[in-house]
Amino acid sequence: MPELPEVETIRFYLTETVLGQRVNTVKHLDQRMVKTGSASAEEITRRLPGRMVKSIKRRGKFLFLEWDTQDHLLVHLGMSGRLIWIPESAPWVTHTHMVLGFRDFDLRLSDPRRFGRIGWLPAGEEPGAQLGVEPLGRRLTRQFLAQKLKGRSAPIKALLLDQRIIAGLGNIYVDESLFQARIRPDRPGSSLTPAEITRMIRAIRAVLKQAIMHRGTTFSDYVDALGHPGENQAYLWVYGRSGQECRRCGHLLAQQVIAGRTSHFCGHCQS
DNA sequence: AAAACGACCTGGCCGC
DNA sequence: TGCGGCCAGGTCGTTT
């Protein structure tokens, strides 16, 4: 579900709410969701009470709650995860896998498909060390991307989805970025010209910034940390619109499985 | 090393 | 109404 703009929106709301608060109790933590790091659910449950949230960071699609002890709690929402700041009196939804109790509110993670993950990073371990560059950061340059695409025969779509190259893009925003850059998703990575790579980077940044401005895209599951849906679905050019007319040229939008993912593009605008 | 593919899960929707 | 089949915003491990 959530890609960078959705996770960034959640991060923003958590900064307004949970930042500076202290954990009273860990009311629930499902071991099956603890898939990263060496600490078990039991250990995390033991360590958290009394800790204060010092900062909330995002790397790619990962969130990290930094505690006053410099350890981090990693949270990834997978496809169907929701991280909600909610009064403690509110009933738990089904598939609630983590509940951190603060003064009057809970921070709750629910995730029906359980593709999400939780993990513990001891102080000194850099959050998101294995991830690629931030698409909205300075390190995403034409030179960087050209070097990563060099010699790669995989479709550009697969390479943009690879979190070890650029961290944060998923199926929606890759399709939207490729449309805006006017590049077909099935083009081999190495076939992109320097001008196309520059266009690609500009498109990625514009698409993500617009989505953050609209507080993310809600198709079915996504809601922000206060439970509100996003609004960016009204501004999509191709994702979820195959068979409909291209908003730019009027041709019918195509749908094709590329890199194992349903892909949406305009066969007329993109080449 | 890189590419392709199945696995992991549940729920919603569609057609019969 | 019920059931099977198919699809879903992501990642990871295995195979080729």
Side-chain angles (χ1 to χ4, degrees), chain A residues 28-188:
Chain A
H28 180 55
L29 183 54
D30 187 339
Q31 175 65 53
R32 286 175 297 176
M33 295 298 290
V34 181
K35 308 171 186 175
T36 302
S38 50
S40 65
E42 198 191 333
E43 289 172 282
I44 297 172
T45 300
R46 193 162 1 101
R47 285 174 184 167
L48 278 183
R51 305 235 181 170
M52 191 192 72
V53 180
K54 184 184 172 194
S55 75
I56 301 150
K57 308 172 189 171
R58 179 195 56 73
R59 277 282 281 129
K61 305 172 192 173
F62 289 82
L63 274 175
F64 297 90
L65 300 195
E66 186 193 0
W67 306 98
D68 44 8
T69 46
Q70 261 85 358
D71 311 288
H72 290 90
L73 183 74
L74 167 156
V75 178
H76 192 288
L77 298 174
M79 292 274 260
S80 57
R82 291 177 167 190
L83 190 61
I84 304 281
W85 180 248
I86 192 169
E88 64 170 359
S89 56
W92 295 15
V93 298
T94 47
H95 307 296
T96 294
H97 306 309
M98 179 183 79
V99 180
L100 306 186
F102 291 81
R103 187 158 32 178
D104 303 312
F105 278 66
D106 287 344
L107 185 64
R108 298 184 192 164
L109 172 76
S110 62
D111 182 6
R113 293 178 75 179
R114 278 193 268 120
F115 284 178
R117 57 184 52 224
I118 293 168
W120 184 264
L121 279 75
E125 252 184 69
E126 194 205 339
Q130 76 296 356
L131 294 172
V133 301
E134 281 294 317
L136 296 176
R138 290 237 169 93
R139 289 170 59 209
L140 176 58
T141 61
R142 179 175 59 74
Q143 290 85 341
F144 169 83
L145 200 50
Q147 193 257 320
K148 292 293 182 187
L149 301 186
K150 200 171 157 191
R152 302 294 299 265
S153 64
I156 183 64
K157 167 137 188 181
L159 300 172
L160 293 179
L161 285 171
D162 186 341
Q163 304 297 301
R164 295 165 304 182
I165 301 175
I166 300 176
L169 297 174
N171 208 27
I172 295 178
Y173 299 114
V174 164
D175 281 4
E176 292 295 312
S177 298
L178 285 164
F179 173 80
Q180 183 151 333
R182 286 176 285 118
I183 297 165
R184 287 178 60 103
D186 55 0
R187 287 267 303 279

